[in-house]
Every structure is written in structure tokens, then in C-alpha cells.
Amino acid sequence: MSWHEERRRNLAAEAEQQRLDRKADYELRRQSRRDAAEFEREQKRRAREEKRRARDARRKDRKARRAERARTWTPEWLYGRSTYTIVAASAAASLPAQFMHFGHISPLLLTIPVALEGAAWATFAGVAYADEKRLHPGVRSGLRGLSLLFASFAAWINWLYGKSLAPTIGEGEATVVAAALAAVTMLGPLLFEVRQWVRTLSASSRDPKQRAADKARARHAQQRAKMFKAVAKRQRQILLAAPFGRVDAEEAWRQAWADIEGAQPGVTATVVGSRIAAEKAVSAAVAQSGVTPESAAVELLLAEMFPAFPGDDGPPGGSRKKAPQGGQPGGGGRGVRTRERDASEEATTLGGKGKRANQSAAETEPERPLDPADIARVRTLAEALGGADKLSARKVREAIGCRTDYAIRLRDRVQADAASR
């Protein structure tokens, strides 16, 4: 390789390197300008965001101040501010006249109006404090009397000063000025006293519903203590034995009832005995009627779900007939299935298919009188079911084991006897 060729290659490599350096420098400057522009945009965006947040904060602050003013401008606030304003105006109107009255006599007496007005308003402040702390009524009445005495004395001085102006402005004008000064002197204390009365009454007033609930609760507690004296005495013992406020009154009553009666509130030994006797009576009635307790419970449930109506003869599509006992047609008692009953059921089934059922011989028999024993059993069944109105022909038929017409007559007789009582 010649020297010239090596020289050319070196020059070409240097030129290429310079080109690459210039390109890199250009890319670096362009990236710098791009970063600067991006930074400037970010700064502007942050400044706009900060301005927006400040604007939103000012807006929220204005809304909060408006809401606070709206909450502040309540009737109570307005009444209190207006009263204080009139009180200040009353003091400002009465003091100059007293200064002029005593100053005309001697400059040394100028402290009397300050002491007099100060004593009046100090006692009025004492009235407010006594009302707030709910002190004895005698203390509050005494403070009110002192404050009104001081205010009346100040009003009398202003009256004298107004009347002393008669030689200058005339008798009539002097009387008007004296009356106005006396009235404005008493106006502030009287309005302040009225405000105290209103505040005391409003503090003691309660919601009418709450008052009614409190009265009902007190009446309930009084009646309960009167009816259950021993339990109430035990409750007081529990409450007094425990630290104050530690035991709830109702919890103490439950504990007292358990200690005295040995059961939950409302349950006593007499109640338990009556319940057991009633359950035995129901069991005896159910056993006498021939109905098992399970079937009686099912009957009661069905009676509640499907009330019986007059003429209820059981499910449609025919009746189930049972043969009477002792050879008595339609009589009481449970019997075995007979050929006549099978024929009746077969006739009913055929009738349901469109064929006319043959009239059995038993249906053509003459109506016989009701058996007193059957009537008694139906009455027992009615008592077990909860009343004669719960009876139905189906229930009577299943209990007695008789025909439907006989069951209907028994049911009607028992219901008629129950209605006539």
C-alpha cells in the first residue's frame, strides 16, 4: 500500500468523523432546545394549574363564608344582636343626662353615673349567669330585683334632669324629654330581662313528641311499680347496690324479676300453672274427640289458611260416607267401611265422569234426631279448634264418623247454641 493511498484513507476517515461530530452536535443542540421548550411548557402548565387551584380555593372560601353567614343569621342570632344593640343605645342615651345632672351639681359627682349604670348591668349579668347555671329561684329573683332597682333609680335621675329643663324649653317639652329619658333608661334593662325569660323558656321547652314519650314512659314505670311492688323493691336494691349509672334500669328490672319470680319478665308461677292446665284441657278435649294431636294441629293450621264458609262440605267431587255404629243410620261414632259406603263412593266417582249416580237407600232414609252425645262431642271439638265458627261439615264428619247431612246438622246446631249464648 502506497503512502498516498494511506493518506487519502486517513483524510476520508477524518472527514467522516467530523461529519459525525457535527451531526451529534446538531442533535445535541436540537434535543437541548426541545428539552427547554418542554420545560417551559411544563412551567406554564404548572403555573396555570396553580392559578386554577388558587381560584378554586378562593371560590370555596367565598362559599364557606356565605354559608357561615347564612348559618349565623338565624332568628336566635338576630334576636340576641338586636337586644344588645338596643341595650347599648339605652346606656349611651341615659349616661349623658346623668353626667350633666351630677356635673351641674359638682364635678366630683361624675363617677356616680358610671357606678350606677355599672351596678345595674353587673346585676343583669349576674341574672344571666344564674339562669345559665339554673340556680335557686330565690337567688335569681333577688338579682332581678336589684338590677331593676338600680335601673329605676337611674331612670328617676334622668326624669329629674328632664324636668329641670322646663325654664329653658318649656314645661310641656321638659315633660316629654323627662319621659323619653326615663323610658330609654328602662328600655335596655327591660329588653334584656325579656331576653333572659325567652332563653330560659326555650331551654326548658322540649319537642311535643318527646314530652309525650317521657310522660308515657313515666306512667309505665309508675304502673309497673304499683302492680309488681316486690319486683320494684328488688330493682331499687340492685340499682342502689351498684355504682351510679353502672346498671341499666331495664336490666335491673329483668334481674329483679328473675330473683322474685324465677322466670322471664311477665311469667309467674301462676301463669305457668294456668298454661299447663290449659294444655292438659286441650289434650283431654282432643283425646275425647278422637282426634290425634297431630291431626288437630293440622286442622288448626288449615283453618287459619283456609277459613271455613257456611255450607262447607269438604272437597268437591263427592263425600266420604262412613257407616254408623250400633246399626243406627247416620249415627255417631266411627264405623267400618260397608258395602253401602263403597257403593256410594263408586256412584260419586261415576257421577264425576258424567254418569248419573244411583241414589242409595241410606240417602232416602227419614231424618233422625240429633244424638246428645254427638252434640257434646262436636262442642268439645269446637272448643279444641278455638270456637264454633271454626267448625265445618268435613271436620264434624271426620270426628263423628257420620254422613254429610248429619254432620251439617250437628255443625249448625252447635253454632246456633254458641251464637245464642
Side-chain angles (χ1 to χ4, degrees):
M1 180 182 294
S2 65
W3 180 84
H4 296 287
E5 292 178 355
E6 182 68 23
R7 178 65 177 170
R8 282 196 300 273
R9 282 197 295 272
N10 291 337
L11 293 175
E14 290 178 359
E16 180 64 22
Q17 185 62 40
Q18 291 177 0
R19 187 184 66 80
L20 292 176
D21 292 341
R22 287 192 300 272
K23 182 178 180 182
D25 185 60
Y26 172 75
E27 291 293 335
L28 182 60
R29 289 194 303 271
R30 189 173 66 174
Q31 184 65 32
S32 299
R33 289 193 297 271
R34 186 182 301 114
D35 292 343
E38 182 66 25
F39 178 75
E40 185 178 359
R41 287 194 297 271
E42 181 66 21
Q43 289 295 108
K44 291 181 179 179
R45 186 187 65 80
R46 290 183 179 180
R48 290 194 299 270
E49 185 68 20
E50 186 66 26
K51 290 181 180 179
R52 186 182 63 81
R53 285 198 295 266
R55 186 173 60 253
D56 293 343
R58 290 193 299 270
R59 186 182 299 111
K60 290 181 180 179
D61 187 54
R62 287 195 299 269
K63 288 183 179 179
R65 287 198 301 269
R66 286 197 295 268
E68 184 65 25
R69 286 195 298 269
R71 287 193 299 269
T72 302
W73 285 68
T74 59
E76 181 181 0
W77 183 86
L78 290 174
Y79 180 62
R81 285 301 179 90
S82 60
T83 301
Y84 287 136
T85 302
I86 296 175
V87 165
S90 172
S94 63
L95 274 175
Q98 296 181 51
F99 280 129
M100 296 179 68
H101 178 78
F102 287 103
H104 179 71
I105 299 173
S106 174
L108 299 177
L109 303 179
L110 291 177
T111 56
I112 294 180
V114 178
L116 187 60
E117 289 289 334
W121 289 112
T123 50
F124 274 115
V127 169
Y129 179 78
D131 289 340
E132 182 180 357
K133 297 300 181 179
R134 297 182 179 276
L135 299 183
H136 192 272
V139 176
R140 290 187 278 180
S141 300
L143 290 174
R144 282 187 168 88
L146 285 176
S147 59
L148 292 177
L149 178 62
F150 292 139
S152 301
F153 185 68
W156 178 67
I157 293 174
N158 285 339
W159 169 270
L160 294 179
Y161 173 75
K163 294 295 290 183
S164 66
L165 299 178
T168 304
I169 61 176
E171 185 66 28
E173 295 295 333
T175 303
V176 172
V177 172
L181 287 174
V184 78
T185 304
M186 294 296 298
L187 180 62
L190 290 177
L191 285 181
F192 189 83
E193 182 62 25
V194 170
R195 175 181 175 273
Q196 287 304 119
W197 289 343
V198 171
R199 290 189 61 182
T200 304
L201 292 176
S202 62
S204 61
S205 64
R206 291 174 297 172
D207 184 33
K209 294 183 178 179
Q210 185 64 31
R211 288 201 303 271
D214 292 342
K215 288 183 179 179
R217 187 178 296 108
R219 185 167 56 253
H220 173 265
Q222 183 180 5
Q223 292 176 355
R224 187 166 66 174
K226 183 178 180 181
M227 182 174 292
F228 310 104
K229 296 181 180 180
V231 179
K233 182 179 179 180
R234 177 57 183 160
Q235 180 197 24
R236 289 193 297 271
Q237 291 177 351
I238 295 174
L239 292 176
L240 293 175
F244 178 75
R246 184 69 61 84
V247 180
D248 183 65
E250 292 300 324
E251 182 64 28
W253 179 266
R254 286 192 291 270
Q255 181 63 37
W257 190 281
D259 294 342
I260 300 300
E261 301 293 345
Q264 295 295 325
V267 180
T268 63
T270 304
V271 172
V272 174
S274 300
R275 182 188 302 170
I276 294 174
E279 291 176 354
K280 289 182 179 180
V282 171
S283 300
V286 171
Q288 184 179 0
S289 64
V291 182
T292 62
E294 291 79 7
S295 62
V298 172
E299 290 293 337
L300 290 175
L301 178 62
L302 293 176
E304 293 179 358
M305 296 175 61
F306 307 102
F309 297 96
D312 180 15
D313 296 337
S319 60
R320 296 173 299 174
K321 294 181 174 60
K322 297 182 182 179
Q325 290 182 352
Q328 297 178 359
R334 293 184 178 272
V336 296
R337 297 176 60 90
T338 60
R339 187 185 302 260
E340 178 183 349
R341 178 179 178 184
D342 295 337
S344 174
E345 292 179 354
E346 181 180 359
T348 303
T349 305
L350 292 175
K353 294 182 179 179
K355 297 181 181 181
R356 184 176 181 181
N358 295 325
Q359 187 176 14
S360 63
E363 294 177 347
T364 60
E365 292 179 358
E367 185 178 278
R368 76 177 188 88
L370 297 177
D371 191 351
D374 294 339
I375 296 175
R377 295 178 65 185
V378 174
R379 286 174 180 168
T380 304
L381 177 61
E383 294 177 359
L385 294 177
D389 56 338
K390 300 292 182 64
L391 288 174
S392 64
R394 176 175 58 84
K395 296 175 183 177
V396 175
R397 187 178 62 246
E398 292 178 355
I400 302 300
C402 61
R403 289 163 40 190
T404 301
D405 55 350
Y406 189 74
I408 292 174
R409 291 166 54 203
L410 285 173
R411 181 201 64 190
D412 295 343
R413 171 65 180 274
V414 173
Q415 290 180 351
D417 293 343
S420 63
R421 291 194 185 96

